[in-house]
């Protein structure tokens, strides 16, 4: 092999990159990767925590209704992805949702269901649009999205129910403080994204 | 082996260029970002004493200040952080941080009981300086969400330390201890001012 050929081979070998498939945990893709996605992506965790705390602060009928809307919006997000909608700024929208939800939790004021609907709907759709796995087959992508829908629903429901179970005043105050932390973190990261 | 041929030089140059690693703007790991953020306020003693003073004063003032101040602080701190991240200058940030220790420490030492809104505005005003410093120091390589969540949580935990110690004010001896701690924080603030 001539030196020139050897150099070309070396160039190709050195430039070869691992086939990353946007797995949150390396080697765990498809349905289980989708399940883990909301748990391991901090922005999604912030948004889901904010939404869950917010739902937990509401009266049960309204909370159940909003949770149903949230689930429907997650499914709408999947349909949008399957329909090849190419979103923009979905990551920023997820952070915006976390900031607004965190603020509402910190304020802990009664809010009409109609005013909450846009937040909940945007949250579900944006979380899904920001959860699209790269470089996967259609089937694996769909399975991953189904996993994400299930995980997001379970997480929001668990946090909402846990919040509702808090009976003492100091626990409710703790929830409001958590809301302020979520809002503060999300606002800061939004600023970082804008600055970059 | 000869490196005289231009084609060979070009191939080798190409190999070296292609082999170089890309300069990712988002290199930080989630765990590293979170723990980096968590450690950030703890290793700045001027931040630590001011955060503890907020908690002490809140506990000293009792409800609703005990929970309102720790909610106001991170939210306003985030606004200051946004200014820092976006590069909007605020004059005398370090002086403001040192002054926060002096003023908040004095409030505790003198057992000052201003109206709630005055306390909230005072704490909020100082939070802008702290947030600006945090925002300006946010490392570019860190995972922004995890880092921000880490340092907001660390800030909140420092408040809780102050609140926990401040609850001693329910007893006469504890009240003296809390006021003494406030005096020590104010003196530390004076030292920070003198060292600038």
């Amino acid at each position: 092999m001539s030196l020139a050929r050897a150099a070309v081979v070396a160039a190709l070998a050195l430039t070869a990159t691992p086939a990353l498939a946007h797995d949150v945990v390396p080697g765990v893709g498809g349905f289980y990767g989708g399940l883990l996605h909301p748990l391991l992506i901090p922005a999604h965790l912030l948004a889901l925590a904010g939404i869950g705390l917010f739902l937990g602060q509401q009266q049960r009928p309204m909370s159940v209704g909003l949770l149903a809307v949230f689930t429907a919006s997650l499914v709408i997000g999947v349909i949008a992805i399957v329909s090849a909608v190419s979103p923009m700024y979905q990551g920023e929208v997820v952070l915006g949702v976390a900031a607004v939800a965190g603020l509402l939790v910190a304020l802990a004021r009664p809010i009409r269901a109609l005013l909450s609907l846009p937040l909940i709907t945007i949250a579900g759709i944006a979380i899904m649009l920001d959860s699209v796995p790269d470089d996967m087959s259609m089937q694996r992508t769909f399975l991953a999205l189904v996993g994400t829908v299930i995980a997001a629903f379970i997480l929001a429901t668990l946090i909402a129910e846990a919040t509702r179970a808090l009976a003492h005043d100091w626990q409710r105050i703790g929830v409001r403080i958590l809301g302020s932390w979520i809002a503060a973190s999300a606002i800061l990261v939004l600023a970082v994204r804008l600055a970059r | 082996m000869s490196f005289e041929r231009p084609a060979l030089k070009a191939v080798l140059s190409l190999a070296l260029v292609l082999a170089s690693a890309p300069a990712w703007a988002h290199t930080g790991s989630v765990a590293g970002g979170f723990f980096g953020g968590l450690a950030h306020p703890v290793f700045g003693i001027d931040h630590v004493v001011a955060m503890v003073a907020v908690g002490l004063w809140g506990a000293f003032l009792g409800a609703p200040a005990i929970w309102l101040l720790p909610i106001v602080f991170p939210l306003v701190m985030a606004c200051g952080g946004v200014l820092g991240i976006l590069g909007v200058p605020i004059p005398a940030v370090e002086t403001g941080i040192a002054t926060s220790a002096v003023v908040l420490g004095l409030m505790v030492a003198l057992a000052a009981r201003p109206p709630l809104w005055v306390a909230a505005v005072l704490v909020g005003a100082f939070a802008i300086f702290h947030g600006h410093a945090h925002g300006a120091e946010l490392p570019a390589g860190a995972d922004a969400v995890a880092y921000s969540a880490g340092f907001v949580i660390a800030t909140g935990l420092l408040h809780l330390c102050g609140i926990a110690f401040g609850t001693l004010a329910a007893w006469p001896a504890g009240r003296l201890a809390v006021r003494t701690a406030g005096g020590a924080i104010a003196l530390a603030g004076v030292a920070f001012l003198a060292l600038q």
Side-chain angles (χ1 to χ4, degrees):
Chain A
M1 186 187 288
S2 72
L3 192 57
R5 276 188 185 171
V8 172
V9 170
L12 292 173
L14 288 169
T15 54
T17 53
L20 296 172
H22 192 68
D23 291 343
V24 181
V25 177
V28 182
F31 178 75
Y32 295 104
L35 266 183
L36 289 173
H37 198 269
L39 296 170
L40 298 178
I41 302 298
H44 291 204
L45 202 54
L46 269 187
L48 286 168
I51 293 292
L53 292 174
F54 172 73
L55 292 177
Q57 283 182 326
Q58 311 308 313
Q59 298 294 323
R60 182 172 279 282
M62 179 173 157
S63 174
V64 170
L66 288 175
L67 195 58
V69 171
F70 179 65
T71 311
S73 66
L74 290 170
V75 175
I76 291 171
V78 175
I79 293 169
I81 294 164
V82 173
S83 309
V85 170
S86 47
M88 289 173 69
Y89 306 116
Q90 67 275 17
E92 286 74 13
V93 175
V94 170
L95 287 167
V97 163
V100 174
L103 274 175
L104 292 175
V105 171
L107 289 171
R109 297 275 178 237
I111 291 173
R112 288 171 187 270
L114 264 181
L115 293 175
S116 315
L117 276 178
L119 174 73
I120 299 297
T121 309
I122 292 170
I125 295 174
I127 285 171
M128 289 317 299
L129 290 179
D130 198 36
S131 302
V132 183
D134 298 333
D135 305 329
M136 277 192 185
S137 67
M138 191 64 184
Q139 185 187 2
R140 275 170 63 86
T141 298
F142 185 72
L143 285 175
L145 294 174
V146 170
T148 303
V149 168
I150 291 171
F153 169 75
I154 290 174
L155 201 57
T157 306
L158 283 179
I159 294 172
E161 288 305 314
T163 305
R164 199 190 319 285
L166 302 176
H168 299 287
D169 278 348
W170 66 267
Q171 292 172 326
R172 295 200 189 100
I173 290 167
V175 167
R176 295 179 67 176
I177 291 174
L178 268 182
S180 72
W181 291 2
I182 289 170
S185 302
I187 290 168
L188 284 168
V189 181
L190 268 176
V192 172
R193 295 261 176 108
L194 286 174
R196 287 176 185 168
Chain B
M1 191 186 300
S2 168
F3 290 91
E4 295 298 318
R5 286 181 293 176
L8 183 57
K9 279 185 180 174
V11 169
L12 283 174
S13 302
L14 184 67
L16 291 172
V17 168
L18 290 175
S20 60
W24 298 111
H26 194 72
T27 53
S29 68
V30 170
F34 180 77
F35 289 112
L38 206 60
H40 185 77
V42 179
F43 288 113
I45 189 70
D46 47 353
H47 289 291
V48 170
V49 295
M51 299 305 105
V52 172
V54 170
L56 276 180
W57 199 25
F60 210 84
L61 292 172
I66 192 169
W67 55 265
L68 186 70
L69 298 186
I71 288 177
V72 166
F73 195 95
L75 289 175
V76 182
M77 184 181 76
C79 297
V82 170
L83 297 177
I85 290 164
L86 297 179
V88 178
I90 291 182
V93 170
E94 292 303 320
T95 306
I97 290 169
T99 307
S100 71
V102 175
V103 173
L104 295 173
L106 276 177
M107 291 293 151
V108 177
L110 300 174
R113 290 185 174 278
L116 181 61
W117 68 269
V118 173
V121 168
L122 198 59
V123 165
F126 287 129
I128 290 179
F129 292 110
H130 287 270
H132 191 279
H134 286 312
E137 291 163 3
L138 201 141
D143 181 288
V145 183
Y147 184 91
S148 300
F151 94 64
V152 168
I153 289 171
T155 300
L157 292 178
L158 288 171
H159 290 156
L160 286 180
C161 289
I163 289 172
F165 190 69
T167 51
L168 292 176
W171 295 276
R175 192 175 170 83
L176 182 66
V178 171
R179 292 182 67 174
T180 305
I185 288 172
L187 281 177
V190 171
F192 299 145
L193 280 173
L195 288 171
Q196 285 178 16

